[in-house]
Amino acid sequence: MKAWQFTTDTYLKPQRRDAWREAMERLRLPVGDLPAEGAFHAQVSSLTSPMGVEFSVVASTPQEISGRNPHQPAAIWMAVLLEGEATLLDGSREIPIAAGDIVYGPTGQAAGLRLESRFRLLFITAPRVALDHRLLAPSALRLGHLAAGDGINHVFSGLLRATAESLDELTSDQLRPVELALTEFLVACLAQDGGPAARGGAEGARAVQMHRVRQTIEVLLAEPELTLRRVADEDGVSPRYLQKLFAGQGQSFTGYVRGRRLERCRADLASPACAQLSISEICFRWGFNGSAHFSRAFRSAYGQSPREYRRAAIGEAAADLSA
């Protein structure tokens, strides 16, 4: 994993604000107002997993993170307020954020987070290529707020807060289950937070059913003979209805399953825990019937062969260890 840390304590006081802006630029977070007077202290501890999910714990005196960074890659960001007081700015509203609350949104969309006291914040960015397959309406994703009061939001917030507390101790193998859980929790929370599943009526019913179908597919993904009928039988619907569900999302059942299998293979190719497995073993363990077909599909999806991807991931890991 790529990891780095920063603190303003290593700089002279007049240099600290400029140094912090540079550190935040490395996180691709646009800094708004910084206090012009008084003591200024800030630090960050960040790591990027083999799958490209970046986890950063930021602690600082009051400031504002706001604006739009044009250099942000296509990703979904999440932030959970660990300590302090904050306000989310979406251009038309000011939403109070309490400790434990989660805010989220797509990169490239202007947003602001005004941190009004000393704070600690876990900030996460996840590549859209790893999440869009699981979202019911990825193109419609907007800035949002998940209050951590109870239910699934409370559980999700607890996971993120525990991750923040243990971040410096986690290995890539230990972080991988967190990545998978993060995706599942985010999908479930978004389904309740004004997404299609929360709208009620026929549209809401279809969205709830689609969410269940995708969960079933995740459980059965490794089966080579995973068919439309098998999933339909598991969920108590007809194959024709299942086809219509995917068509309503602009997808096909076959294309969705292939995309999920490719993502699982990509994760294993980058994981040290799977280093002893051959590329063929990895593709077969996630349901592909042939290594040649898998290689073509992988290159089409990610722009490089499985071997090239694994070599690059191993090279980056080795460079991080020697740094």
Side-chain angles (χ1 to χ4, degrees):
M1 293 186 293
K2 298 178 181 178
W4 61 280
Q5 295 181 328
F6 171 90
T7 176
T8 55
D9 291 352
T10 59
Y11 291 83
L12 296 173
K13 290 183 179 180
Q15 300 171 334
R16 289 181 178 180
R17 288 168 176 78
D18 288 340
W20 181 242
R21 289 186 182 278
E22 291 179 6
M24 293 293 273
E25 185 174 339
R26 184 171 179 178
L27 289 178
R28 295 181 294 276
L29 290 176
V31 178
D33 296 332
L34 291 178
E37 299 179 356
F40 180 77
H41 169 80
Q43 63 185 48
V44 60
S45 179
S46 179
L47 64 83
T48 303
S49 76
M51 287 298 294
V53 180
E54 187 173 38
F55 297 80
S56 304
V57 175
V58 178
S60 176
T61 45
Q63 60 182 273
E64 185 173 310
I65 301 171
S66 63
R68 180 188 289 121
N69 188 333
H71 304 297
Q72 276 275 29
I76 294 171
W77 61 265
M78 287 164 278
V80 57
L81 185 64
L82 305 171
E83 299 173 11
E85 300 174 354
T87 300
L88 178 66
L89 314 171
D90 70 355
S92 60
R93 297 175 300 164
E94 295 190 0
I95 304 169
I97 305 299
D101 287 3
I102 302 165
V103 293
Y104 64 88
T107 55
Q109 186 175 117
L113 191 61
R114 188 169 62 228
L115 297 142
E116 297 153 350
S117 63
R118 293 186 64 88
F119 69 90
R120 290 179 67 242
L121 180 79
L122 173 64
F123 188 80
I124 301 171
T125 56
R128 295 205 67 141
V129 68
L131 286 175
D132 277 2
H133 282 299
R134 301 287 284 119
L135 299 178
L136 291 173
S139 62
L141 184 65
R142 296 291 182 266
L143 191 67
H145 167 230
L146 302 172
D150 52 22
I152 190 67
N153 293 357
H154 180 69
V155 179
F156 190 24
S157 174
L159 169 69
L160 295 180
R161 284 180 283 178
T163 300
E165 295 305 322
S166 305
L167 191 62
D168 292 336
E169 304 167 12
L170 295 176
T171 66
S172 59
D173 290 344
Q174 294 167 338
L175 194 60
R176 181 56 187 151
V178 176
E179 290 180 300
L180 295 174
L182 184 151
T183 301
E184 293 302 318
F185 272 111
L186 180 62
V187 170
C189 290
L190 291 183
Q192 299 184 138
D193 189 44
R199 294 174 189 167
E203 183 182 5
R206 286 192 296 270
V208 169
Q209 184 67 63
M210 186 57 136
H211 180 61
R212 291 173 181 165
V213 165
R214 289 180 174 183
Q215 289 179 319
T216 299
I217 290 172
E218 292 299 305
V219 172
L220 303 176
L221 198 57
E223 295 187 8
E225 302 304 323
L226 179 57
T227 63
L228 182 76
R229 178 169 291 279
R230 171 71 195 285
V231 175
D233 289 345
E234 286 286 333
D235 284 278
V237 299
S238 71
R240 181 175 176 80
Y241 178 73
L242 197 55
Q243 284 179 321
K244 288 183 177 179
L245 282 179
F246 279 98
Q249 299 295 319
Q251 297 175 318
S252 68
F253 172 82
T254 301
Y256 178 80
V257 170
R258 181 174 60 249
R260 295 304 303 143
R261 284 174 168 163
L262 286 170
E263 275 299 305
R264 293 299 187 115
C265 290
R266 189 167 77 110
D268 284 356
L269 289 170
S271 172
C274 298
Q276 78 282 4
L277 297 177
S278 69
I279 292 175
S280 294
E281 287 173 322
I282 288 174
C283 83
F284 288 130
R285 81 193 296 243
W286 286 114
F288 283 97
N289 290 314
S291 55
H293 167 66
F294 165 66
S295 293
R296 289 193 297 271
F298 193 94
R299 182 181 289 277
S300 176
Y302 305 117
Q304 56 187 156
S305 71
R307 190 175 305 279
E308 291 167 342
Y309 180 82
R310 173 177 255 185
R311 188 183 300 122
I314 292 173
E316 288 180 0
D320 291 338
L321 287 174
S322 62

